[in-house]
Amino acid sequence: MKPAKGRRSSTTSLKQPVAVIGAGIAGIAVAARLAVAGRAVTVFEAGPTFGGKMHQFALPGGYRFDAGPSLFTLPQLVDDIFRLAGRTPSDYFRYERLDPITNYFFADGTRLHAWADAAKFAAEVEQKLGTPATEVTKFLKRAGRAYDATAGTFLHKSLHKARTYFSPETLRAVAALPQLGLLGTMHQRHESAFGADPRLVQLFDRYATYNGSDPYQAPATLSMIPHLEHGIGAFYPESGIYAIAESLVKLATEFGVKFRYNEPVEEIITAEKRVTGLRTALDVYDFGRVVSNMDVVPTYRRLLPHQPAPERTLSQPRSSSALIFYWGITREFPELDVHNIFFSADYKAEFDAIFQQKTVADDVTVYVNITSKKTPTDAPPGHENWFVMVNVPHDQGQDWAALTHQTRAAVLRKLRQALGTDIAPLIATEKVWTPPGIAADTSSFGGALYGSSSNNALAAFLRHPNFSGRLEGLYFCGGSVHPGGGIPLCLLSAKIVSSLINEE
């Protein structure tokens, strides 16, 4: 039997049915928001389940992993969706604040805990690195003021609607940039604040990786990112990151959202400069509104082959990708926590390798995420599940077999040096996710995790808008469009899109 088609509403209806392409976190969130607002929503997902990069899997021996995102900030963006639905968030989704947030291991052997309390963190920096706590506190307070002054405009609203720029809030945000020290690059901002200790500069430079950028090129506005952790907090969802997607799917389903798995969209159908539906291998469906949670590049190249594409936008430099090793480790490491960073000795060379040479440096910074620290069932007793990630360039045809072999060896060397233990014999099971694999599994162009990079001052304005300027009824959410990648920004893109559709 053929599946039922989406029913076209009358032209006078304010509640036309909506199709969402892709069940990544932004697609799930926009579906839930629209359903709560009374829309009939159908989500088409190419894979067998939801989550996109935020999926989970198990490896032999009893190890569970969150495949992609591992850091959770701004949990109120998830709670807000449940409150919008009139539900109690904790009935669906629970989380705890992390303390410490991250354990840092520097190349010179220094170890530092990033405590949740800003004053305690500043004191730790003074004790371990020698930078006065007052300087750290001053920097974090300024980051908080910068976030408060700009987030409402640059993250919560469309930057591609004229009304955004005529609000008093926007004028205040723009006026605040110079006095907040947000001109120049991230690295320049951090060097100005902490130039006496390159380790502390490196610590704050790493926040450029939160949207796949290069701190030596990215604008100083990104120096407000540490406020998300040290001002608001870093959190761990009960049972892991996958629980975010799982809880929102449950809510969406309760409000009537239909999820059609293993049904990739093959074309977005248009007529007379407007969207009229979409086509899959199973049927043609009528929809007056379509939201693509797919990366904008394949959206245009695959799904809109007969429409002119915004070539300038699609040709923007891509963000970094990741090379991820999932390891089942046969012992516990009490000196490690949920989030752990092992820094390279030469950060500039590492980023030059990624963004200039399109390769992986010999000495890399290694991120190790261990969810079994909080969810013991993620690994057998006495064991740990290690998510080991290195920032790498997006796929442009590099020899990833060779780079993976080279990088794995570099990672093991760094961990052995920092921890005084040879990790290789402790790896009971392993899986690897490369940029080509990320591209194939998630339709992220080149495996770029965050769409385009933020390596210039105008990057925020050059991202694809959350709507089509050519085709009425076509919208975009997810990490490749405004306001960017990462869990919070994907959730904000869903909020922006649902507002645009409901405002019609």
Side-chain angles (χ1 to χ4, degrees):
M1 179 181 295
K2 294 179 72 176
K5 295 185 179 182
R7 182 170 52 86
R8 192 193 302 272
S9 297
S10 69
T11 55
T12 58
S13 172
L14 296 180
K15 300 291 185 183
Q16 286 191 346
V18 181
V20 177
I21 302 171
I25 187 59
I28 298 167
V30 77
R33 283 180 170 276
L34 290 171
V36 167
R39 299 270 181 176
V41 184
T42 304
V43 180
F44 293 83
E45 168 56 43
T49 188
F50 57 84
K53 298 183 187 75
M54 192 188 286
H55 67 275
Q56 66 175 359
F57 66 89
L59 289 181
Y63 302 92
R64 189 204 72 90
F65 294 88
D66 288 310
S70 57
L71 178 69
F72 182 42
T73 58
L74 298 180
Q76 64 269 27
L77 296 178
V78 178
D79 290 344
D80 285 348
I81 300 174
F82 294 108
R83 294 193 180 101
L84 183 69
R87 305 294 170 86
T88 301
S90 60
D91 289 345
Y92 294 78
F93 179 61
R94 295 188 178 94
Y95 50 87
E96 63 177 285
R97 188 173 187 180
L98 291 175
D99 193 21
I101 299 170
T102 305
N103 288 341
Y104 290 103
F105 298 77
F106 293 93
D108 67 356
T110 303
R111 296 184 180 188
L112 183 145
H113 300 293
W115 301 105
D117 179 80
K120 187 177 179 182
F121 170 59
E124 172 93 355
V125 170
E126 181 171 330
Q127 177 189 356
K128 299 290 182 63
L129 305 183
T131 299
T134 53
E135 293 300 313
V136 179
T137 301
K138 177 182 175 182
F139 177 87
L140 292 176
K141 285 183 177 179
R142 180 173 284 190
R145 291 197 302 273
Y147 178 83
D148 292 341
T150 60
T153 294
F154 294 105
L155 300 182
H156 290 254
K157 296 180 181 178
S158 170
L159 292 182
H160 304 86
K161 292 289 186 181
R163 63 175 180 265
T164 299
Y165 296 93
F166 293 101
S167 70
E169 183 181 30
T170 299
L171 297 177
R172 287 194 298 270
V174 173
L177 298 181
Q179 61 182 313
L180 290 170
L182 297 182
L183 301 180
T185 68
M186 279 187 82
H187 179 73
Q188 289 168 344
R189 169 77 187 98
H190 299 150
E191 197 168 45
S192 172
F194 308 116
D197 194 327
R199 293 169 298 182
L200 194 54
V201 174
Q202 185 177 35
L203 188 155
F204 284 106
D205 276 357
R206 87 169 185 89
Y207 286 97
T209 66
Y210 281 33
N211 64 9
S213 300
D214 175 357
Y216 300 91
Q217 299 182 66
T221 49
L222 299 187
S223 295
M224 69 181 74
I225 295 176
H227 174 68
L228 299 181
E229 293 183 8
H230 293 283
I232 301 172
F235 300 84
Y236 180 79
E238 188 177 285
S239 76
I241 291 288
Y242 182 71
I244 302 173
E246 195 171 38
S247 64
L248 289 176
V249 166
K250 180 181 179 182
L251 178 73
T253 303
E254 289 176 1
F255 276 81
V257 174
K258 309 292 186 188
F259 287 87
R260 300 187 67 87
Y261 300 114
N262 295 311
E263 190 170 356
V265 173
E266 297 180 345
E267 183 181 3
I268 297 172
I269 302 171
T270 64
E272 298 180 355
K273 295 186 178 181
R274 69 164 293 110
V275 166
T276 61
L278 51 80
R279 175 176 59 81
T280 75
L282 299 181
D283 204 353
V284 174
Y285 301 84
D286 295 331
F287 286 101
R289 300 287 181 271
V290 173
V291 182
S292 178
N293 182 212
M294 181 188 281
D295 187 301
V296 288
V297 176
T299 295
Y300 281 100
R301 303 294 190 225
R302 296 185 207 165
L303 307 187
L304 292 163
H306 307 300
Q307 293 292 328
E311 298 298 342
R312 184 186 178 200
T313 299
L314 300 190
S315 65
Q316 290 301 306
R318 309 303 289 176
S319 78
S320 60
S321 185
L323 181 56
I324 308 174
F325 302 93
Y326 307 92
W327 290 340
I329 300 294
T330 58
R331 58 159 280 197
E332 294 178 310
F333 285 76
E335 65 268 47
L336 301 181
D337 213 297
V338 176
H339 302 295
N340 311 274
I341 297 285
F342 299 82
F343 279 120
S344 65
D346 189 339
Y347 224 25
K348 181 69 163 62
E350 186 177 356
F351 282 99
D352 282 349
I354 295 171
F355 289 98
Q356 309 301 328
Q357 300 148 25
K358 313 300 182 185
T359 189
V360 185
D362 293 331
D363 181 19
V364 293
T365 295
V366 180
Y367 166 66
V368 179
N369 172 245
I370 310 173
T371 61
S372 59
K373 296 287 187 181
K374 291 294 182 182
T375 308
T377 55
D378 282 354
H383 294 211
E384 293 179 341
N385 63 333
W386 285 23
F387 167 111
V388 182
M389 188 188 85
V390 174
N391 294 302
V392 300
H394 71 281
D395 178 38
Q396 293 180 281
Q398 298 94 326
D399 183 348
W400 285 107
L403 287 175
T404 298
H405 178 77
Q406 163 196 317
T407 304
R408 187 181 189 274
V411 167
L412 289 170
R413 283 196 304 270
K414 180 167 291 295
L415 294 176
R416 182 175 64 246
Q417 180 181 8
L419 299 174
T421 301
D422 187 3
I423 303 299
L426 303 177
I427 301 173
T429 186
E430 177 179 31
K431 179 180 177 179
V432 182
W433 211 13
T434 65
I438 293 170
D441 295 341
T442 69
S443 293
S444 301
F445 182 66
L449 296 181
Y450 306 93
S452 57
S453 74
S454 295
N455 285 340
N456 69 70
L458 297 178
F461 302 94
L462 296 175
R463 277 188 172 272
H464 196 288
N466 301 106
F467 58 92
S468 170
R470 290 178 175 270
L471 294 170
E472 183 182 349
L474 179 59
Y475 302 86
F476 302 86
C477 65
S480 69
V481 300
H482 176 71
I487 298 172
L489 299 190
C490 285
L491 292 171
L492 285 172
S493 76
K495 181 180 179 181
I496 292 169
V497 169
S498 62
S499 295
L500 291 172
I501 292 175
N502 288 330
E503 284 170 5
E504 296 174 351

